[in-house]
Amino acid sequence: PCRRSLPDLEPAAFSFNGPQGMCPACQGLGHRLAVDPARVVADPEATIAGGALRPWATAMARRAGWVYRYAMAVAKAFAVPLDVPWKRLPKAARDCVLFGKGAGEIVVPWGDKKSEGIWRTTYRGLVPSIERRFFEARSEGAKRRFADYIVEAVCRDCDGTRLREESR
């Protein structure tokens, strides 16, 4: 019925001190470095077009550039209004923008005087994008660019229990 298999039960499966029982996301610590969504939202009173989201604020003010076109594609694809204060957006819209919940493919136009086109990609949310870019950064400068968003937080996968899902 549930079509789920579990490893043989043994005492080690119930300990966060070993790989059989520890949460793989936090290695059994119960916490990990993660993006704090409150640090992504600069001003909940502002609109997205007005700079509510720190990673997009400069591009939205300039109304130009790759980040601007990307943000516009997200808004268009998921019907997220850019002129409504962030705190008044429906929770589903905020979750879509921040975490990619309910999201999918976006089409981002690009071009200049010489050429133009579209780029299709899957939108996964600002928070996962910042986390990925922080952890995959190869230079200290790149890490510093995203470090302001990072905090030590309770592990989202195990909710701080330190155990893998099967063991819980």
Side-chain angles (χ1 to χ4, degrees), residues 20-148:
Q20 298 93 336
M22 75 170 56
C23 170
C26 66
Q27 284 80 44
L29 297 174
H31 54 84
R32 63 183 186 169
L33 295 179
V35 170
D36 180 359
R39 292 182 177 205
V40 174
V41 180
D43 181 3
E45 302 283 337
T47 65
I48 294 175
L53 303 173
R54 284 178 60 200
W56 292 352
T58 302
M60 297 308 278
R62 283 192 331 235
R63 299 182 56 84
W66 181 250
V67 173
Y68 176 75
R69 289 193 298 273
Y70 189 83
M72 296 302 286
V74 169
K76 180 179 179 183
F78 309 118
V80 176
L82 299 174
D83 59 349
V84 173
W86 177 258
K87 71 179 192 175
R88 288 201 187 136
L89 287 174
K91 182 174 178 0
R94 293 190 312 258
D95 284 349
C96 178
V97 172
L98 290 179
F99 306 107
K101 291 182 181 174
E105 186 178 82
I106 61 172
V107 177
V108 184
W110 60 270
D112 56 23
K113 294 176 184 170
K114 295 180 183 178
S115 64
E116 61 183 39
I118 60 169
W119 177 55
R120 294 180 189 276
T121 187
T122 301
Y123 181 70
R124 293 184 171 86
L126 269 173
V127 168
S129 173
I130 294 167
E131 281 182 359
R132 180 185 58 78
R133 292 168 83 187
F134 176 79
F135 290 114
E136 291 178 3
R138 294 184 181 199
S139 72
E140 283 306 309
K143 269 204 183 300
R144 274 194 303 272
R145 219 175 28 244
F146 301 107
D148 285 346

